[in-house]
Amino acid sequence: MTAHLQALGLDAHGLDLSPGMVAVARRAHPELRFGVSTLTALPGPDASLAGALAWYSLIHVAPPDRAGVLAGLRRVLVPGGHLVIACQAGTEHVRRDRAYGHPVDLELWRLDPDELADQLADAGFVVRRRWERPATGPETTPQAALLACAE
């Protein structure tokens, strides 16, 4: 996604919790900036970004931590800045010990779009657009995306 945003002319950089994923991104796109970070401790000064993309990231945030993560995203965005969140839609909590043919310790929470919209409002965002669709192809869950604007 970072490369796509850069190709559109945006000054984009990527963050991921996994040093391994950051290493893969750096090898694939050495011209771009990538760093290791958590959503609970975003780097950068207040009001320093025009936009943020949480592409299937919030599904890895436990419900009690979600308000803090959304507040952190609001903190780094300028007033009027945009946030796009894409997620698996639903209410299930999922734990996996195997994915993509490898052993993993993976925990994720599907997000209810109505609840997420309320949480975004509580964090100082206005939801401008919302998309929901059923699972297609190899997907097993419905998908959702929300576009929000920082107040």
Side-chain angles (χ1 to χ4, degrees), residues 116-140:
L116 182 56
D118 290 343
Q119 291 170 338
L120 283 162
D122 291 345
F125 289 95
V126 175
V127 175
R128 298 285 188 211
R129 297 283 186 273
R130 179 173 155 167
W131 302 268
E132 294 179 56
R133 65 170 176 77
T136 61
E139 298 169 341
T140 59

Side-chain angles (χ1 to χ4, degrees), residues 21-80:
M21 292 301 291
V22 169
V24 168
R26 286 176 176 160
R27 279 193 305 274
H29 301 282
E31 73 284 6
L32 299 177
R33 295 173 292 143
F34 295 97
V36 176
S37 180
T38 68
L39 283 171
T40 56
L42 289 172
D46 294 359
S48 59
L49 298 176
L53 175 66
W55 199 253
Y56 294 84
S57 306
L58 288 180
I59 63 171
H60 301 290
V61 176
D65 299 328
R66 201 168 299 135
V69 166
L70 293 174
L73 286 162
R74 175 60 194 92
R75 178 189 65 78
V76 298
L77 288 174
V78 298

Side-chain angles (χ1 to χ4, degrees), residues 72-97:
L73 286 162
R74 175 60 194 92
R75 178 189 65 78
V76 298
L77 288 174
V78 298
H82 291 92
L83 170 63
V84 175
I85 297 173
C87 62
Q88 295 175 338
T91 58
E92 300 84 12
H93 174 226
V94 178
R95 182 174 280 278
R96 295 212 171 107
D97 59 7

